[in-house]
Amino acid sequence: MARAPQGQNKAPGAFFLATLLLWMISVLFEIVFNKRRELLSVVGGFCFYQFANWVIRSWVSKDPLLVNTCVSLLHSSITSASVIFILVNELIRAGSNGMFEHSKLVGNTWPWAYPALCFSCGYFAYDQWDMLHYRLYSGWIPSILVHHLLLLVCFTLALYRNVTINYLILTLICELHSIFLHTRKVRRMAGIRDAKSKAVKAEWVLSWITFIVARFAPHILITIKLIRDSPMFEKGVELPLALFGMGGMNLLNTFLGIDLFRAYRREKSSQHHE
């Protein structure tokens, strides 16, 4: 992801900055005036990843893209571990019987799921701000900014209404694949590009496995589950928003898969020409 050239792409930047500011005002309003203290974890997540940004910028590198990628790698690692912990804890606590029933996914909340979702929501707000601040995006409709805006809307509305929390925790299993996306980017920025090395080969194998197992397939299955259970949803915004969100995620996953395949071919072909 290259930094946008100076003087270009101001219109999309202004739009996404405005939506981010509106989101921040909304969250602060809920915390202060509606006394939703549980949402302080959103602010905590934002501050934690901003602090991580400062630490990396102070001690590792001042390159905005490298710093952003390292913080993203940290988030993917923490979130993946959190999701796995939540799922394993629920399996031990209540067993797998009925764990993925509609009522459990929509109306109930697994232990630790709410604060984990809040903390991750804070990260996406931080990352949106960081990319806008350092202009780490390109194009008139930057897919990464659209992705973050989509997640912020879906996550925040779910947190406000305290519904579909477990569904959203399941979608975050994709962060397991993101670990290898960010690792690859950091590796390449560090100048390690030997496609024949065992470490790079292992990275690509794990990247493809987790792309299918932790991102592409789970999001497809969640979408199918939403469609099958659609008659069970009450009238309201939950089902349309969930279907819209998952439709957007599946579309972005398809583009990501194509980009991943192209990157793999480029890395292999560049090695042959050396």
Side-chain angles (χ1 to χ4, degrees):
M1 188 192 309
R3 181 187 292 209
Q6 293 294 327
Q8 295 184 19
N9 295 336
K10 291 184 178 180
F15 169 78
F16 286 105
L17 179 59
T19 58
L20 181 61
L21 290 175
L22 287 173
W23 173 86
M24 289 180 174
I25 292 170
S26 172
V27 172
L28 292 175
F29 180 88
E30 287 292 319
I31 293 172
V32 175
F33 293 100
N34 291 337
K35 303 187 184 305
R36 298 288 302 275
R37 299 293 185 261
E38 66 274 19
L39 292 173
L40 284 171
S41 295
V42 177
V43 180
F46 182 93
C47 294
F48 173 81
Y49 288 109
Q50 187 63 55
F51 176 72
N53 181 297
W54 176 80
V55 171
I56 296 169
R57 188 177 302 280
S58 299
W59 296 96
V60 179
S61 171
K62 294 189 181 298
D63 178 12
L65 183 57
L66 179 60
V67 174
N68 180 273
T69 306
C70 289
V71 177
S72 295
L73 176 58
L74 176 64
H75 166 257
S76 295
S77 302
I78 291 175
T79 303
S80 298
S82 299
V83 172
I84 292 171
F85 168 78
I86 290 166
L87 293 176
V88 171
N89 180 66
E90 181 62 16
L91 282 170
I92 295 172
R93 188 183 70 89
S96 61
N97 186 30
M99 183 176 174
F100 300 113
E101 288 181 357
H102 174 78
S103 59
K104 296 287 181 67
L105 293 175
V106 175
N108 289 8
T109 302
W110 297 321
W112 301 100
Y114 195 96
L117 192 65
C118 284
F119 204 71
S120 195
C121 189
Y123 160 77
F124 287 114
Y126 145 78
D127 200 40
Q128 191 85 323
W129 162 253
D130 193 59
M131 287 187 292
L132 288 167
H133 181 64
Y134 291 103
R135 307 192 68 192
L136 302 175
Y137 60 89
S138 60
W140 283 99
I141 308 178
S143 60
I144 189 65
L145 298 183
V146 173
H147 171 266
H148 283 15
L149 176 59
L150 187 66
L151 288 182
L152 283 174
V153 170
C154 292
F155 282 20
T156 308
L157 288 178
L159 291 169
Y160 286 176
R161 299 170 65 88
N162 201 14
V163 294
T164 67
I165 303 299
N166 294 342
Y167 257 123
L168 292 173
I169 286 294
L170 289 177
T171 66
L172 285 176
I173 195 65
C174 68
E175 292 300 328
L176 190 61
H177 170 246
S178 296
I179 290 175
F180 299 101
L181 284 180
H182 302 317
T183 299
R184 174 180 172 270
K185 188 179 291 187
V186 171
R187 186 231 331 146
R188 288 180 63 82
M189 283 189 283
I192 305 171
R193 305 191 178 199
D194 184 4
K196 292 183 179 179
S197 73
K198 291 182 179 179
V200 173
K201 288 180 179 179
E203 175 200 297
W204 273 112
V205 169
L206 291 171
S207 182
W208 281 115
I209 291 173
T210 53
F211 172 76
I212 295 169
V213 174
R215 183 182 293 275
F216 193 80
H219 286 175
I220 291 291
L221 291 173
I222 290 170
T223 306
I224 294 172
K225 173 72 172 171
L226 285 169
I227 295 171
R228 289 184 60 183
D229 290 351
S230 58
M232 303 181 191
F233 278 87
E234 297 180 1
K235 291 183 178 180
V237 72
E238 286 85 4
L239 179 60
L241 188 63
L243 289 173
F244 175 76
M246 290 312 303
M249 290 295 293
N250 288 319
L251 185 63
L252 290 172
N253 287 343
T254 301
F255 291 144
L256 177 60
I258 294 170
D259 289 342
L260 199 63
F261 180 70
R262 289 173 177 170
Y264 176 74
R265 291 190 64 180
R266 280 197 307 270
E267 196 157 286
K268 293 288 287 185
S269 63
S270 66
Q271 183 66 33
H272 291 320
H273 288 102
E274 290 179 358

Coordinates of all heavy atoms in Angstrom, one line a residue, residues 17 59 81 120 156 221 270:
L17 N -12.5 10.8 6.7 CA -12.2 11.5 7.9 C -13.5 12.0 8.6 O -13.7 11.9 9.8 CB -11.3 12.7 7.6 CG -10.9 13.6 8.8 CD1 -10.2 12.7 9.9 CD2 -10.0 14.7 8.4
W59 N 11.2 3.7 18.6 CA 12.3 2.7 18.8 C 12.6 1.8 17.6 O 13.7 1.3 17.6 CB 11.9 1.8 20.0 CG 11.8 2.6 21.3 CD1 10.6 3.0 21.8 CD2 12.8 3.0 22.1 NE1 10.9 3.7 23.0 CE2 12.2 3.7 23.2 CE3 14.2 2.9 22.1 CZ2 13.0 4.3 24.3 CZ3 15.0 3.4 23.2 CH2 14.3 4.1 24.2
A81 N -5.7 -14.6 19.0 CA -5.6 -15.3 20.3 C -6.9 -15.1 21.1 O -7.4 -16.0 21.7 CB -4.4 -14.8 21.0
S120 N -11.2 -4.5 19.5 CA -10.9 -4.6 18.1 C -11.5 -3.4 17.4 O -10.9 -2.9 16.4 CB -11.4 -5.9 17.5 OG -10.9 -6.2 16.3
T156 N -20.1 -1.2 15.7 CA -20.6 -0.2 16.7 C -22.2 -0.3 16.9 O -22.6 -0.3 18.0 CB -20.3 1.3 16.2 OG1 -18.9 1.4 15.9 CG2 -20.7 2.3 17.3
L221 N -19.6 -19.4 5.0 CA -20.5 -20.1 5.9 C -21.3 -19.2 6.8 O -22.5 -19.5 7.0 CB -19.6 -21.1 6.8 CG -18.9 -22.2 6.1 CD1 -18.0 -23.0 7.0 CD2 -20.0 -23.2 5.4
S270 N 10.0 -13.2 -10.0 CA 11.1 -12.4 -9.7 C 12.3 -13.2 -9.3 O 13.5 -12.9 -9.6 CB 10.8 -11.3 -8.6 OG 10.6 -11.9 -7.4

